[in-house]
Amino acid sequence: MRWSLILISALVGLLTMTWCVPSASAAGDAVADAKRKAAQQLAFDGKDKEAISILSEVTAGGGGTFKDYQMLGRLYDKTNQATQAVAAYRKVLELADSSKSVDERAARVEAERKVKTQDTFTEKLDTAEQEFLKKLDGMEKEADAAKNSAAVEKIWRLRGNLIRGEGRDDRSYFEVAAQPLWVPTGFNVIAGHRYVCRTHGTWRTGAGPETECSALGFKGANNGTLPLGCLGVNIDNRERLNAADPAGFKPTVSGPLFFYMNVGVDYAKSSGMIQVIIERKD
């Protein structure tokens, strides 16, 4: 069952219990509660990543309770996302007051244990990763100066595969070929969050060198609502946005993300590839 159907069912159940029109605040609480119930059902069904996605909507913008972050911490633990798990448990420690209730006291004990266990080893891994990424940054500058495009592409692939290997739900790496077909990523975006894509490479919308562009596409030439040749994103076939916008993009819907080359019907002579690192910023 798709998580969206679970959410709709939960919303209907909550709203049918209300005899009068709720206030804006009450309506917001009802939606958040419906999402919590949907996330719990998804987790029960073993769909941990989907549960994380929908529960992250509840905590977006600094919202959420200690129980929301406790559940997120457990789900991140199950999906081997240690960094995010520690961040979630730290929020539990920030929000839970052990003097108020047994549940909050138990949550703090669990969070303190998890943070202590993860912190030392996670810190070592993070340090090693940052040192390697910093070294790659230096090598990329040298390769750029030498105009060695093959070396730059390899450096990007090394960097990207390291990032993808983390298995995080807030950033990853992809290679998008020059085609109008949607490229599945397995990466889910969350409504209301901003995502920024760093890109490298060029592609051609046609046969000649005059058709070559970066992920930004051609300024002043549009295909639909987006620049011709730009790197586009399609979110669950419900929303299309410009992935290469330097300011990033903020989806209004949640769901699986697909990349594509924004080109018209004449794409038979398209060529090239764009390397993409996508990261959730807020």
Side-chain angles (χ1 to χ4, degrees):
M1 181 188 297
R2 289 172 58 85
W3 69 261
S4 55
L5 294 178
I6 298 173
L7 175 57
I8 290 170
S9 176
L11 275 169
V12 170
L14 278 170
L15 294 177
T16 52
M17 293 173 62
T18 307
W19 291 96
C20 59
V21 177
S23 66
S25 175
D29 291 342
V31 171
D33 286 341
K35 289 180 178 180
R36 291 183 178 103
K37 289 179 182 294
Q40 289 169 357
Q41 183 61 52
L42 286 165
F44 180 79
D45 292 339
K47 299 178 179 179
D48 297 326
K49 289 188 176 180
E50 291 89 341
I52 288 172
S53 179
I54 196 168
L55 195 57
S56 293
E57 293 181 22
V58 177
T59 60
T65 66
F66 79 90
K67 288 187 177 181
D68 296 327
Y69 287 101
Q70 183 182 38
M71 184 177 178
L72 272 176
R74 291 171 177 173
L75 289 168
Y76 282 132
D77 260 345
K78 284 184 65 179
T79 53
N80 299 313
Q81 299 183 69
T83 301
Q84 293 93 318
V86 169
Y89 284 123
R90 288 192 185 282
K91 285 294 292 184
V92 173
L93 294 176
E94 180 184 321
L95 297 172
D97 185 345
S98 58
S99 67
K100 288 187 176 180
S101 70
V102 173
D103 284 347
E104 291 186 68
R105 186 159 56 248
R108 285 190 64 87
V109 170
E110 177 187 349
E112 287 169 353
R113 184 179 71 252
K114 291 289 186 178
V115 169
K116 184 178 180 180
T117 301
Q118 296 279 5
D119 259 356
T120 303
F121 198 66
T122 300
E123 185 177 345
K124 289 180 180 179
L125 285 174
D126 287 346
T127 299
E129 178 183 353
Q130 292 308 313
E131 288 175 353
F132 182 61
L133 289 173
K134 187 175 181 180
K135 184 173 291 187
L136 287 179
D137 289 342
M139 294 175 67
E140 183 180 357
K141 289 179 181 178
E142 292 179 19
D144 269 333
K147 300 187 183 305
N148 190 333
S149 58
V152 175
E153 181 178 314
K154 185 175 181 179
I155 290 167
W156 262 77
R157 188 167 289 121
L158 284 169
R159 180 191 292 122
N161 283 321
L162 174 63
I163 289 172
R164 184 161 55 191
E166 295 173 326
R168 290 170 53 168
D169 70 342
D170 63 340
R171 71 173 180 174
S172 194
Y173 167 79
F174 305 99
E175 296 183 356
V176 187
Q179 57 182 9
L181 304 176
W182 301 345
V183 178
T185 63
F187 187 87
N188 289 313
V189 297
I190 303 167
H193 285 274
R194 183 171 64 93
Y195 295 82
V196 174
C197 290
R198 293 171 54 198
T199 63
H200 169 260
T202 60
W203 50 19
R204 292 185 178 185
T205 61
E210 73 279 359
T211 69
E212 184 168 306
C213 64
S214 69
L216 290 169
F218 293 101
K219 187 176 181 180
N222 283 8
N223 177 46
T225 60
L226 304 180
L228 176 67
C230 80
L231 176 67
V233 291
N234 184 314
I235 302 165
D236 199 26
N237 199 24
R238 292 185 288 165
E239 186 172 32
R240 298 190 186 193
L241 300 166
N242 185 354
D245 187 330
F249 64 92
K250 184 177 287 189
T252 60
V253 298
S254 298
L257 178 142
F258 298 81
F259 283 117
Y260 68 97
M261 181 189 198
N262 187 42
V263 65
V265 293
D266 184 20
Y267 61 86
K269 296 181 180 179
S270 300
S271 61
M273 180 263 292
I274 298 292
Q275 295 170 287
V276 188
I277 294 174
I278 183 172
E279 185 168 6
R280 187 171 71 220
K281 290 296 186 180
D282 52 41

